[in-house]
Amino acid sequence: MHHDCKKKKQYKVQKLFLMSEPSLYTVKAVLILDNDGERLYAKYYDDTYPTVKEQKAFEKNIFNKTHRTDSEIALLEGLTVVYKSNIDLFFYVIGSSHENELMLMAVLNCLFDSLSQMLRKNVEKRALLENMEGLFLAVDEIVDGGVILESDPQQVVHRVALRGDDVPLTEQTVTQVRTTSLLYPSLCCGV
Amino acid sequence: MIKKFDKKDEESGKTGVYVFQRLTCCLQARIFNETPINPRRCLHILTKIIYLLNQGEHFGTTEATEAFFAMTRLFQSNDQTLRRMCYLTIKEMANISEDVIIVTSSLTKDMTGKEDVYRGPAIRALCRITDTTMLQAIERYMKQAIVDKVPSVSSSALVSSLHMVKMSYDVVKRWVNEAQEAASSDNIMVQYHALGLLYHLRKNDRLAVTKMLNKFTKSGLKSPFAYCMLIRIASKLLDETEGGHDSPLFDFIEGCLRNKNEMVVYEAASAIVHMPNCTARELAPAVSVLQLFCSSPKAALRYAAVRTLNKVAMKHPSAVTACNLDLENLITDSNRSIATLAITTLLKTGSESSVDRLMKQISSFVSEISDEFKVVVVQAISALCQKYPRKHSVMMNFLSNMLRDDGGFEYKRAIVDCIISIIEENPESKETGLAHLCEFIEDCEHTVLATKILHLLGKEGPRTPQPSKYIRFIFNRVVLESEAVRAAAVSALAKFGAQNDDLLPSVLVLMQRCMMDSDDEVRDRATFYMNVLQQKQKALNAAYIFNGLSVSIPGLEKSLHQYTLEPTEKPFDMKSVPLVTTPITEQKTEIAPVATSKLPEKLAPSRQDIYQEQLASIPEFQSLGPLFKSSDPVQLTEAETEYVVRCIKHTFARHMVFQFDCTNTLNDQLLQKVVVQMEPSEAYEVEHYIPALSLPYSQPGSCYTLIRLPDDDPTAVSCTFSCTMKYLVRDCDPNTGEPDDDGYDDEYVLEDLEVTVADHIQKVLKPNFGAAWEEVGDEFEKEETFALASVRTLDEAVNNIISFLGMQPCERSEKVPENKNSHVLFLAGVFRGGHDVLVRARLALADGVTMQVTVRSSEETVVDVILASVG
């Protein structure tokens, strides 16, 4: 019994250490919501919100608290949230409240600037939905499992390297778009 | 299908559309089998699959596996984007599809191939689906990839290795040399990832961490991220080694305050602020960079700065005073989080005169901020009330307004706690405070808060000039609320009836109605109180209504269970139940950075309950009865000696057990058969020694000594023991811990151990001391007057008496009001054997302090013991 008690104490101490353990795991989630608060993209990197239901509830809360103000940083549910909005999109990067806010900001800026380049400054919902694969690949290059993989938008755009036949729609000429849309209507319509 | 991202469609029958999409998606995955592969259409379908997964759509295993297998064929295409999307699909499906390992060879080929664009992502996808055995097969490639000259490849390999450490530490550990090489890369991200991996592999080896820090702090780094990481490692090491602030590590962190990059500067400032025991002088450089950040155009930087300054202000308000002007500029910041933090910081550092202005400013936008920050505001107010008690009326007003606003449970609880503490600190604010709380429970959805307030009303209400006005509020609860609240309301009502004779008839009428309640607990309480109140006896009221039971609940449960196991004619003896150890006044919630903990609050067994268990498991102690009291640990050795010994004194009805917690700090010795031999000065008799069988290096062990208390002389409560630790030493190899075969006896003299009157008294809190005083009665009352010549202040006298007698101060009488020449201290406790004992000490300050002590108890010897030991 005595031994058990000691063990418990050690466990507690360990937990405290874990909190302050220096680590590369910086980002808890990356979110993109539309101007109704609906999820366009969400990637959670740890178990803070394990179920889709909890995630959606968190997204709703975050959206309600941020969409009216454009103040770029907030503390919600004990987490630091940095955010940015553009036309009809809301970008969020979320980390622990102990995290260096500027690191989270670096991730947010990198994500936004990369997309901005890929979408030719046309960062809005319609363009993004037409280029979801570009978004998926870009986030994959910026954060890997919660670790910041790259913070330089040039590098990200370079690595995503959509080229040849797969130049994003915005980079194609109008004719090209029309031809493509005739061939593959599903790609262009319906937004 | 065509309108795959169509919002309107999603809204009109969301699930329907999703299911439809998922099924068609999987059907369409058949397009993957067409020859030749049509990259554009395939890409489109993969994007759709990932999009659906991302929306939280659930794929069945069969569905997912089918789609996954179809997808593998796409590796035949050389379309770059399509390939990259395949990697992503593999990662996304790794957990939901079966047999994902079939793509291992394709991925291995890509990770070692010529196309640099493929290599990084291929490594990340591969590591996502790899287990420990397979990892060994690709170990060679991983090592090469870590030192690859292409940064994206090296970074991917390093980060993937970091992810794999959790699962395959032993394999990844072998890559430490490669990681070391990568750490000197020119690329900033590679450097950062290498440092992170190296630290993670070495973090349990303090020497290696120290070496690594030395190397990098000297050579310098390019990456700001790596600098931040290095600062964190350095401050953790400083903290663990309790390194002084003259250490080179501290110099390194301080040096980072002059870094070019704001991220690094902030990390360093934050690290310094969070160090324990920083002096104001050491804080100054950190505070001044934070001050600069306060006027940054970047909101995140202002936020970070003011949040950190807020933390500094908690411990060193004076260090932040220099920033007051900058903080003033932030109180109108459009980011309300920044404004709130600025105001609460100013409330801590500013003068009393600025309080009204700041409170006015904050009330203008309090409804706009999130609950987390509202709690910060309430905590700041709470701290302020303690600092400037005269401001309590302003605060109370503000709090009552906040109480009326919308808000979650944490927020409301913070407000209620704050009001309660103001009431307790400032008697003159009691009535206003209670009135606000009464109004609050009229419309309160939180059971916990309602019951807490009802309890407070029951305690404080009857003693106000107009107790009758609270009855209405309380009885409304009985009519309107849930069971738990109704029960609490009944208990509160009973207290009004017990204290105020003129209210008793009406309380009895109300009680009668409560006896008709639909809930058992409410009815039981009403019936019980009804019967007690009808007796109209002060002693009964005191024992059953005001002061209640003071036993430990887990202890009571255990005793009752034991009682039912052994059928006996004897009635159950309440005195056999261990007493509850009174919590040292409720801990003030620290004004910490807001982090809502999600852990449910659990009823932890008290320290004494744990000791009780431990001792009961030792056969020799099983017949001693319930544990009466356990003392705080007493150190019997100086710090940093060969052996560290501390003693905990456990008191039983007729015995005492001394528990010696010993630690052997010599790594070349193994101690065996350790006992602490005790020589008593009085008629105490050592009955038994229980040795600690083995005491290896740095593993604490306990040995026990059982003492029988003198039966014939119950007044012999104090005794001094000289203690010697005796043991068998076996020298051993410091590296392996292997002991020699032979050993020799040795001994080690410890400091003397005192047993005092406090060891025989358990603290018991009597919420209503007056009632308890009447209940015990004056049958064995004795009074004596003492002159405490050496004591200079009333505070000192009060503290001395409390610690000497080890009794519980009641009615907040441990706090001496300022500028008073006399004071009355009320103490309550239970003497060993279960006799209540109450002490009233009237103190008067003249030259020294004169003290008139009145003791009451249900047992005469106890009164004598107390008076004898005070004198």
Side-chain angles (χ1 to χ4, degrees), chain A residues 2 21 25 39 42-43 71-73 77-78 97 99-101 140-141 144 148 159 163 165-166 184, chain B residues 40 54-55 79-80 84 91-92 124 163 193 199 232 236 263 266-267 300 303 307 335 372 614:
Chain A
H2 187 74
E21 186 71 72
Y25 293 94
R39 175 195 284 193
K43 186 95 189 148
S71 36
E72 119 177 17
I73 186 160
E77 305 192 15
S97 62
E99 193 47 74
N100 185 327
E101 289 85 350
D140 185 54
E141 290 294 343
D144 184 76
I148 304 175
R159 284 178 203 169
R163 60 176 131 125
D165 202 28
D166 296 297
Y184 311 109
Chain B
R40 188 165 274 281
N54 199 270
Q55 285 295 324
D79 185 278
Q80 275 196 4
R84 297 285 309 278
K91 288 206 277 188
E92 295 290 335
R124 303 202 297 272
H163 298 324
H193 297 138
Y199 174 71
R232 290 180 199 182
K236 180 156 191 282
M263 190 195 290
Y266 169 62
E267 186 74 42
Y303 171 90
R307 197 168 156 224
N335 184 324
E372 273 91 346
Q614 285 170 16

Short mmCIF file of all heavy atoms in Angstrom, two decimals, chain A residues 2 21 25 39 42-43 71-73 77-78 97 99-101 140-141 144 148 159 163 165-166 184, chain B residues 40 54-55 79-80 84 91-92 124 163 193 199 232 236 263 266-267 300 303 307 335 372 614:
data_model
loop_
_atom_site.label_atom_id
_atom_site.label_comp_id
_atom_site.label_asym_id
_atom_site.label_seq_id
_atom_site.Cartn_x
_atom_site.Cartn_y
_atom_site.Cartn_z
N HIS A 2 1.85 1.18 0.86
CA HIS A 2 2.74 2.31 0.96
C HIS A 2 3.38 2.58 -0.40
O HIS A 2 3.46 3.69 -0.87
CB HIS A 2 3.80 2.00 2.00
CG HIS A 2 4.68 3.16 2.30
ND1 HIS A 2 4.23 4.22 3.03
CD2 HIS A 2 5.94 3.44 1.92
CE1 HIS A 2 5.22 5.10 3.11
NE2 HIS A 2 6.25 4.65 2.44
N GLU A 21 7.41 19.77 -20.83
CA GLU A 21 8.42 19.07 -21.62
C GLU A 21 8.67 19.80 -22.94
O GLU A 21 7.76 19.98 -23.73
CB GLU A 21 7.91 17.66 -21.91
CG GLU A 21 8.90 16.76 -22.61
CD GLU A 21 10.02 16.35 -21.69
OE1 GLU A 21 9.79 15.56 -20.78
OE2 GLU A 21 11.13 16.86 -21.90
N TYR A 25 6.11 19.24 -30.82
CA TYR A 25 4.67 19.19 -31.08
C TYR A 25 4.03 20.51 -30.68
O TYR A 25 3.86 20.79 -29.50
CB TYR A 25 4.03 18.01 -30.35
CG TYR A 25 4.50 16.69 -30.91
CD1 TYR A 25 5.58 16.01 -30.34
CD2 TYR A 25 3.91 16.15 -32.04
CE1 TYR A 25 6.04 14.81 -30.88
CE2 TYR A 25 4.36 14.96 -32.59
CZ TYR A 25 5.42 14.29 -32.00
OH TYR A 25 5.86 13.12 -32.55
N ARG A 39 -17.42 23.73 -41.62
CA ARG A 39 -16.06 23.26 -41.82
C ARG A 39 -15.75 23.05 -43.29
O ARG A 39 -16.47 22.37 -44.01
CB ARG A 39 -15.91 21.92 -41.08
CG ARG A 39 -14.57 21.25 -41.31
CD ARG A 39 -14.60 19.80 -40.90
NE ARG A 39 -14.54 19.65 -39.44
CZ ARG A 39 -14.30 18.47 -38.86
NH1 ARG A 39 -14.11 17.39 -39.58
NH2 ARG A 39 -14.28 18.38 -37.55
N ALA A 42 -10.46 20.65 -41.71
CA ALA A 42 -10.11 20.56 -40.29
C ALA A 42 -9.14 19.42 -40.11
O ALA A 42 -9.38 18.31 -40.57
CB ALA A 42 -11.36 20.31 -39.46
N LYS A 43 -8.04 19.74 -39.45
CA LYS A 43 -7.08 18.68 -39.16
C LYS A 43 -6.70 18.83 -37.69
O LYS A 43 -6.19 19.86 -37.28
CB LYS A 43 -5.85 18.87 -40.06
CG LYS A 43 -4.86 17.77 -39.96
CD LYS A 43 -5.07 16.73 -41.04
CE LYS A 43 -4.19 15.53 -40.80
NZ LYS A 43 -4.79 14.29 -41.24
N SER A 71 -9.58 40.22 -34.62
CA SER A 71 -8.50 40.56 -33.70
C SER A 71 -7.40 39.53 -33.62
O SER A 71 -6.60 39.54 -32.71
CB SER A 71 -9.06 40.87 -32.32
OG SER A 71 -10.14 40.05 -32.05
N GLU A 72 -7.38 38.56 -34.48
CA GLU A 72 -6.23 37.68 -34.74
C GLU A 72 -5.76 36.73 -33.65
O GLU A 72 -5.10 35.74 -33.92
CB GLU A 72 -5.07 38.52 -35.32
CG GLU A 72 -3.77 38.61 -34.59
CD GLU A 72 -2.75 39.43 -35.39
OE1 GLU A 72 -3.10 40.17 -36.32
OE2 GLU A 72 -1.58 39.33 -35.05
N ILE A 73 -6.15 36.95 -32.39
CA ILE A 73 -5.73 35.97 -31.38
C ILE A 73 -6.75 35.92 -30.23
O ILE A 73 -7.34 36.93 -29.88
CB ILE A 73 -4.32 36.30 -30.84
CG1 ILE A 73 -3.82 35.22 -29.90
CG2 ILE A 73 -4.29 37.65 -30.14
CD1 ILE A 73 -2.35 35.20 -29.70
N GLU A 77 -11.47 27.82 -24.52
CA GLU A 77 -11.45 26.47 -23.96
C GLU A 77 -10.04 26.10 -23.53
O GLU A 77 -9.61 24.97 -23.67
CB GLU A 77 -12.00 25.46 -24.98
CG GLU A 77 -13.39 25.85 -25.46
CD GLU A 77 -14.11 24.76 -26.24
OE1 GLU A 77 -13.67 23.61 -26.17
OE2 GLU A 77 -15.11 25.09 -26.88
N GLY A 78 -9.31 27.08 -23.00
CA GLY A 78 -7.97 26.81 -22.50
C GLY A 78 -6.93 26.65 -23.60
O GLY A 78 -5.81 26.22 -23.33
N SER A 97 -2.20 26.64 -24.48
CA SER A 97 -2.10 28.01 -23.98
C SER A 97 -0.69 28.32 -23.47
O SER A 97 -0.37 29.45 -23.17
CB SER A 97 -3.11 28.24 -22.86
OG SER A 97 -2.83 27.39 -21.78
N GLU A 99 1.89 27.60 -25.37
CA GLU A 99 2.71 27.64 -26.57
C GLU A 99 3.09 29.08 -26.90
O GLU A 99 2.37 30.03 -26.57
CB GLU A 99 1.92 26.99 -27.72
CG GLU A 99 2.73 26.68 -28.94
CD GLU A 99 4.03 26.00 -28.62
OE1 GLU A 99 4.03 24.80 -28.28
OE2 GLU A 99 5.07 26.67 -28.69
N ASN A 100 4.21 29.23 -27.55
CA ASN A 100 4.67 30.52 -28.03
C ASN A 100 3.69 30.99 -29.13
O ASN A 100 3.61 30.38 -30.19
CB ASN A 100 6.09 30.36 -28.59
CG ASN A 100 6.70 31.67 -29.00
OD1 ASN A 100 6.02 32.58 -29.46
ND2 ASN A 100 8.01 31.78 -28.82
N GLU A 101 2.99 32.09 -28.83
CA GLU A 101 1.94 32.55 -29.74
C GLU A 101 2.50 32.89 -31.12
O GLU A 101 1.82 32.73 -32.13
CB GLU A 101 1.25 33.78 -29.16
CG GLU A 101 0.37 33.53 -27.94
CD GLU A 101 1.13 33.51 -26.61
OE1 GLU A 101 2.39 33.52 -26.64
OE2 GLU A 101 0.49 33.50 -25.55
N ASP A 140 -0.21 19.58 -45.63
CA ASP A 140 0.65 18.43 -45.40
C ASP A 140 2.13 18.83 -45.39
O ASP A 140 2.94 18.21 -44.72
CB ASP A 140 0.39 17.38 -46.49
CG ASP A 140 1.15 16.10 -46.25
OD1 ASP A 140 1.00 15.54 -45.14
OD2 ASP A 140 1.91 15.67 -47.14
N GLU A 141 2.46 19.87 -46.15
CA GLU A 141 3.86 20.33 -46.16
C GLU A 141 4.17 21.27 -45.00
O GLU A 141 5.32 21.47 -44.65
CB GLU A 141 4.17 21.05 -47.48
CG GLU A 141 4.23 20.15 -48.70
CD GLU A 141 5.39 19.16 -48.64
OE1 GLU A 141 6.32 19.35 -47.84
OE2 GLU A 141 5.34 18.16 -49.40
N ASP A 144 3.22 18.44 -39.88
CA ASP A 144 3.17 16.99 -39.95
C ASP A 144 2.95 16.45 -38.54
O ASP A 144 3.82 16.56 -37.68
CB ASP A 144 4.48 16.43 -40.54
CG ASP A 144 4.41 14.92 -40.71
OD1 ASP A 144 3.75 14.47 -41.64
OD2 ASP A 144 4.99 14.20 -39.87
N ILE A 148 5.78 21.56 -36.75
CA ILE A 148 5.90 22.50 -37.86
C ILE A 148 6.95 21.97 -38.82
O ILE A 148 8.12 21.82 -38.46
CB ILE A 148 6.32 23.90 -37.37
CG1 ILE A 148 5.34 24.40 -36.32
CG2 ILE A 148 6.41 24.88 -38.53
CD1 ILE A 148 5.75 25.72 -35.69
N ARG A 159 7.11 22.94 -53.10
CA ARG A 159 6.99 21.50 -52.87
C ARG A 159 5.63 20.96 -53.30
O ARG A 159 5.53 19.82 -53.73
CB ARG A 159 7.21 21.19 -51.39
CG ARG A 159 8.68 21.25 -51.04
CD ARG A 159 8.90 20.99 -49.58
NE ARG A 159 10.17 21.58 -49.18
CZ ARG A 159 10.56 21.70 -47.92
NH1 ARG A 159 9.76 21.31 -46.95
NH2 ARG A 159 11.71 22.24 -47.65
N ARG A 163 1.77 21.37 -61.26
CA ARG A 163 2.20 21.90 -62.57
C ARG A 163 1.72 21.03 -63.71
O ARG A 163 0.97 20.08 -63.49
CB ARG A 163 3.71 22.05 -62.60
CG ARG A 163 4.46 20.75 -62.39
CD ARG A 163 5.95 21.02 -62.53
NE ARG A 163 6.68 20.46 -61.44
CZ ARG A 163 7.70 19.60 -61.61
NH1 ARG A 163 8.06 19.23 -62.81
NH2 ARG A 163 8.34 19.11 -60.59
N ASP A 165 -0.28 19.53 -66.42
CA ASP A 165 -1.70 19.41 -66.64
C ASP A 165 -2.50 19.85 -65.41
O ASP A 165 -3.67 20.13 -65.48
CB ASP A 165 -2.01 17.95 -66.97
CG ASP A 165 -3.32 17.86 -67.72
OD1 ASP A 165 -3.65 18.84 -68.41
OD2 ASP A 165 -4.00 16.82 -67.59
N ASP A 166 -1.82 19.90 -64.27
CA ASP A 166 -2.53 20.11 -63.03
C ASP A 166 -2.37 21.49 -62.47
O ASP A 166 -2.54 21.72 -61.29
CB ASP A 166 -2.07 19.09 -61.99
CG ASP A 166 -2.44 17.71 -62.45
OD1 ASP A 166 -3.64 17.46 -62.59
OD2 ASP A 166 -1.53 16.92 -62.71
N TYR A 184 -14.97 17.45 -67.97
CA TYR A 184 -15.18 16.95 -66.62
C TYR A 184 -16.06 17.93 -65.86
O TYR A 184 -15.56 18.71 -65.05
CB TYR A 184 -13.86 16.78 -65.88
CG TYR A 184 -12.83 16.04 -66.68
CD1 TYR A 184 -11.73 16.69 -67.20
CD2 TYR A 184 -13.00 14.67 -66.92
CE1 TYR A 184 -10.80 16.01 -67.95
CE2 TYR A 184 -12.07 13.99 -67.69
CZ TYR A 184 -10.97 14.66 -68.20
OH TYR A 184 -10.07 13.99 -68.93
N ARG B 40 -6.61 13.02 -64.32
CA ARG B 40 -7.47 14.09 -63.85
C ARG B 40 -8.70 13.55 -63.10
O ARG B 40 -9.03 14.02 -62.02
CB ARG B 40 -7.89 14.95 -65.03
CG ARG B 40 -8.63 16.20 -64.62
CD ARG B 40 -8.70 17.18 -65.74
NE ARG B 40 -7.53 18.03 -65.82
CZ ARG B 40 -7.34 19.08 -65.03
NH1 ARG B 40 -8.19 19.35 -64.08
NH2 ARG B 40 -6.28 19.83 -65.16
N ASN B 54 -12.33 14.28 -44.26
CA ASN B 54 -12.08 15.51 -43.53
C ASN B 54 -13.35 16.10 -42.94
O ASN B 54 -13.33 16.74 -41.90
CB ASN B 54 -11.45 16.51 -44.49
CG ASN B 54 -10.75 17.59 -43.74
OD1 ASN B 54 -11.36 18.60 -43.44
ND2 ASN B 54 -9.51 17.37 -43.39
N GLN B 55 -14.47 15.86 -43.60
CA GLN B 55 -15.73 16.35 -43.08
C GLN B 55 -16.21 15.50 -41.90
O GLN B 55 -17.24 15.78 -41.30
CB GLN B 55 -16.81 16.32 -44.17
CG GLN B 55 -16.66 17.41 -45.20
CD GLN B 55 -16.86 18.80 -44.62
OE1 GLN B 55 -17.68 19.00 -43.74
NE2 GLN B 55 -16.09 19.75 -45.09
N ASP B 79 1.88 10.96 -62.98
CA ASP B 79 1.39 12.30 -62.71
C ASP B 79 1.76 12.70 -61.28
O ASP B 79 1.42 12.02 -60.31
CB ASP B 79 -0.12 12.32 -62.87
CG ASP B 79 -0.66 13.72 -62.72
OD1 ASP B 79 -0.86 14.15 -61.56
OD2 ASP B 79 -0.87 14.37 -63.74
N GLN B 80 2.47 13.84 -61.15
CA GLN B 80 3.02 14.21 -59.85
C GLN B 80 1.95 14.46 -58.79
O GLN B 80 2.00 13.92 -57.69
CB GLN B 80 3.87 15.47 -59.99
CG GLN B 80 5.28 15.17 -60.41
CD GLN B 80 6.18 16.34 -60.17
OE1 GLN B 80 5.76 17.36 -59.61
NE2 GLN B 80 7.41 16.24 -60.59
N ARG B 84 1.15 12.47 -55.29
CA ARG B 84 1.15 13.12 -53.97
C ARG B 84 -0.17 12.89 -53.25
O ARG B 84 -0.22 12.69 -52.05
CB ARG B 84 1.38 14.63 -54.14
CG ARG B 84 2.73 14.99 -54.74
CD ARG B 84 3.82 14.82 -53.73
NE ARG B 84 3.48 15.50 -52.50
CZ ARG B 84 3.68 16.78 -52.31
NH1 ARG B 84 4.23 17.53 -53.24
NH2 ARG B 84 3.35 17.33 -51.17
N LYS B 91 -2.04 8.04 -45.90
CA LYS B 91 -1.96 8.52 -44.51
C LYS B 91 -3.35 8.61 -43.89
O LYS B 91 -3.55 8.23 -42.75
CB LYS B 91 -1.28 9.89 -44.46
CG LYS B 91 0.20 9.81 -44.75
CD LYS B 91 0.97 10.95 -44.11
CE LYS B 91 0.92 12.19 -44.95
NZ LYS B 91 1.80 13.24 -44.43
N GLU B 92 -4.29 9.14 -44.66
CA GLU B 92 -5.64 9.31 -44.11
C GLU B 92 -6.31 7.97 -43.84
O GLU B 92 -7.12 7.84 -42.93
CB GLU B 92 -6.51 10.13 -45.08
CG GLU B 92 -6.06 11.57 -45.28
CD GLU B 92 -6.29 12.42 -44.04
OE1 GLU B 92 -7.17 12.09 -43.25
OE2 GLU B 92 -5.55 13.42 -43.89
N ARG B 124 7.16 10.28 -45.21
CA ARG B 124 6.15 10.53 -44.18
C ARG B 124 5.01 9.53 -44.27
O ARG B 124 4.52 9.05 -43.25
CB ARG B 124 5.61 11.97 -44.32
CG ARG B 124 6.72 13.03 -44.22
CD ARG B 124 6.19 14.38 -43.82
NE ARG B 124 5.25 14.96 -44.77
CZ ARG B 124 5.60 15.71 -45.83
NH1 ARG B 124 6.88 15.97 -46.06
NH2 ARG B 124 4.67 16.21 -46.63
N HIS B 163 8.10 10.92 -34.63
CA HIS B 163 6.81 10.26 -34.42
C HIS B 163 7.01 8.79 -34.06
O HIS B 163 6.23 8.23 -33.30
CB HIS B 163 5.94 10.32 -35.69
CG HIS B 163 5.58 11.71 -36.11
ND1 HIS B 163 5.32 12.73 -35.22
CD2 HIS B 163 5.42 12.25 -37.34
CE1 HIS B 163 5.02 13.83 -35.90
NE2 HIS B 163 5.09 13.58 -37.18
N HIS B 193 14.34 20.46 -36.58
CA HIS B 193 13.84 19.10 -36.41
C HIS B 193 14.90 18.19 -35.81
O HIS B 193 14.60 17.34 -34.99
CB HIS B 193 13.37 18.55 -37.77
CG HIS B 193 12.21 19.33 -38.33
ND1 HIS B 193 12.11 19.68 -39.65
CD2 HIS B 193 11.12 19.86 -37.74
CE1 HIS B 193 11.00 20.37 -39.84
NE2 HIS B 193 10.38 20.50 -38.70
N TYR B 199 16.99 15.93 -28.72
CA TYR B 199 16.58 16.13 -27.34
C TYR B 199 15.66 15.01 -26.90
O TYR B 199 15.78 14.48 -25.79
CB TYR B 199 15.88 17.48 -27.16
CG TYR B 199 15.31 17.63 -25.77
CD1 TYR B 199 16.17 17.80 -24.69
CD2 TYR B 199 13.95 17.54 -25.54
CE1 TYR B 199 15.68 17.88 -23.41
CE2 TYR B 199 13.45 17.63 -24.26
CZ TYR B 199 14.31 17.80 -23.20
OH TYR B 199 13.82 17.87 -21.92
N ARG B 232 13.83 26.47 -24.27
CA ARG B 232 12.98 25.62 -23.43
C ARG B 232 13.79 24.53 -22.75
O ARG B 232 13.61 24.25 -21.57
CB ARG B 232 11.88 24.97 -24.27
CG ARG B 232 10.86 25.97 -24.73
CD ARG B 232 9.78 25.31 -25.55
NE ARG B 232 9.10 26.33 -26.33
CZ ARG B 232 8.07 26.11 -27.13
NH1 ARG B 232 7.62 24.88 -27.24
NH2 ARG B 232 7.51 27.08 -27.79
N LYS B 236 14.39 24.23 -18.71
CA LYS B 236 13.99 23.02 -18.01
C LYS B 236 15.17 22.46 -17.21
O LYS B 236 15.03 22.05 -16.06
CB LYS B 236 13.49 21.98 -18.99
CG LYS B 236 13.05 20.69 -18.33
CD LYS B 236 12.06 19.95 -19.20
CE LYS B 236 11.41 18.81 -18.45
NZ LYS B 236 12.26 17.64 -18.35
N MET B 263 10.21 36.15 -32.15
CA MET B 263 9.76 34.87 -31.60
C MET B 263 10.74 34.39 -30.52
O MET B 263 10.34 33.95 -29.45
CB MET B 263 9.68 33.85 -32.73
CG MET B 263 9.03 32.55 -32.38
SD MET B 263 9.39 31.31 -33.61
CE MET B 263 8.46 31.90 -34.99
N TYR B 266 10.71 36.75 -27.42
CA TYR B 266 9.56 36.49 -26.57
C TYR B 266 9.72 35.19 -25.80
O TYR B 266 9.44 35.12 -24.60
CB TYR B 266 8.28 36.46 -27.40
CG TYR B 266 7.11 35.95 -26.62
CD1 TYR B 266 6.67 36.64 -25.48
CD2 TYR B 266 6.46 34.77 -26.96
CE1 TYR B 266 5.62 36.16 -24.73
CE2 TYR B 266 5.42 34.29 -26.21
CZ TYR B 266 5.00 34.98 -25.09
OH TYR B 266 3.98 34.50 -24.33
N GLU B 267 10.22 34.16 -26.48
CA GLU B 267 10.43 32.87 -25.81
C GLU B 267 11.37 33.05 -24.62
O GLU B 267 11.14 32.51 -23.54
CB GLU B 267 10.99 31.85 -26.80
CG GLU B 267 11.12 30.44 -26.27
CD GLU B 267 9.79 29.72 -26.14
OE1 GLU B 267 8.96 29.86 -27.05
OE2 GLU B 267 9.58 29.04 -25.12
N ALA B 300 -0.96 39.55 -32.03
CA ALA B 300 -0.46 38.36 -31.34
C ALA B 300 0.70 38.71 -30.43
O ALA B 300 0.82 38.18 -29.32
CB ALA B 300 -0.03 37.31 -32.35
N TYR B 303 -0.62 40.62 -27.41
CA TYR B 303 -1.30 39.66 -26.56
C TYR B 303 -0.28 38.86 -25.74
O TYR B 303 -0.39 38.73 -24.52
CB TYR B 303 -2.14 38.73 -27.42
CG TYR B 303 -2.74 37.55 -26.71
CD1 TYR B 303 -3.99 37.65 -26.11
CD2 TYR B 303 -2.07 36.33 -26.64
CE1 TYR B 303 -4.56 36.57 -25.47
CE2 TYR B 303 -2.63 35.25 -26.00
CZ TYR B 303 -3.88 35.37 -25.42
OH TYR B 303 -4.42 34.30 -24.78
N ARG B 307 0.06 39.20 -21.72
CA ARG B 307 -0.27 38.00 -20.96
C ARG B 307 0.90 37.62 -20.05
O ARG B 307 0.71 37.21 -18.90
CB ARG B 307 -0.56 36.87 -21.93
CG ARG B 307 -1.27 35.76 -21.28
CD ARG B 307 -1.81 34.77 -22.26
NE ARG B 307 -1.93 33.54 -21.53
CZ ARG B 307 -1.57 32.36 -21.98
NH1 ARG B 307 -1.12 32.24 -23.19
NH2 ARG B 307 -1.66 31.31 -21.23
N ASN B 335 -8.80 44.27 -29.63
CA ASN B 335 -8.80 42.88 -29.19
C ASN B 335 -9.12 42.86 -27.70
O ASN B 335 -8.31 43.26 -26.88
CB ASN B 335 -7.44 42.23 -29.47
CG ASN B 335 -7.43 40.75 -29.13
OD1 ASN B 335 -8.06 40.32 -28.17
ND2 ASN B 335 -6.71 39.98 -29.91
N GLU B 372 -13.41 32.58 -20.33
CA GLU B 372 -12.08 32.41 -19.76
C GLU B 372 -11.55 33.73 -19.21
O GLU B 372 -10.99 33.78 -18.12
CB GLU B 372 -11.09 31.90 -20.83
CG GLU B 372 -11.05 30.42 -21.00
CD GLU B 372 -12.04 29.94 -22.05
OE1 GLU B 372 -12.92 30.76 -22.43
OE2 GLU B 372 -11.96 28.78 -22.46
N GLN B 614 -2.35 2.05 5.30
CA GLN B 614 -0.99 1.52 5.33
C GLN B 614 -0.71 0.82 6.65
O GLN B 614 -0.17 -0.28 6.69
CB GLN B 614 0.02 2.65 5.16
CG GLN B 614 0.12 3.14 3.75
CD GLN B 614 0.93 4.41 3.68
OE1 GLN B 614 1.65 4.75 4.61
NE2 GLN B 614 0.80 5.12 2.58
#
